[in-house]
Amino acid sequence: MTKKSHLSNAFDNLSDNTQEETKVNQTQETKQITSEEIVIENTNAEQQEAIQEAINGETTQEATREV
């Protein structure tokens, strides 16, 4: 191979590696965002349950026992 071919291959490999790294980073960011959304949803559900219990004046367990 000529110097130009080696250089061209090196740049191609660098470009491929950069694209792959970008994909990996985007996947990790997506997983982090999804994880954060799940935490928020769980927190919201817990808060809603606590509010409902406060309104009802009883815990979910107490309500279950009465049924």
Side-chain angles (χ1 to χ4, degrees):
M1 276 190 182
T2 64
K3 279 187 176 181
K4 188 173 184 179
S5 294
H6 284 295
L7 191 57
S8 178
N9 284 342
F11 278 116
D12 287 344
N13 288 339
L14 180 60
S15 177
D16 290 345
N17 290 344
T18 301
Q19 289 176 3
E20 186 62 31
E21 184 178 351
T22 299
K23 288 178 189 175
V24 168
N25 288 342
Q26 288 173 338
T27 300
Q28 289 173 340
E29 287 173 11
T30 300
K31 287 179 181 178
Q32 178 66 29
I33 290 169
T34 301
S35 177
E36 290 171 359
E37 287 174 344
I38 290 170
V39 169
I40 290 170
E41 288 172 7
N42 290 343
T43 301
N44 286 345
E46 290 169 2
Q47 289 174 342
Q48 283 184 325
E49 184 177 343
I51 290 168
Q52 192 61 47
E53 288 173 357
I55 290 170
N56 292 340
E58 57 190 16
T59 66
T60 303
Q61 290 176 348
E62 290 171 349
T64 305
R65 283 190 213 130
E66 290 177 8
V67 173

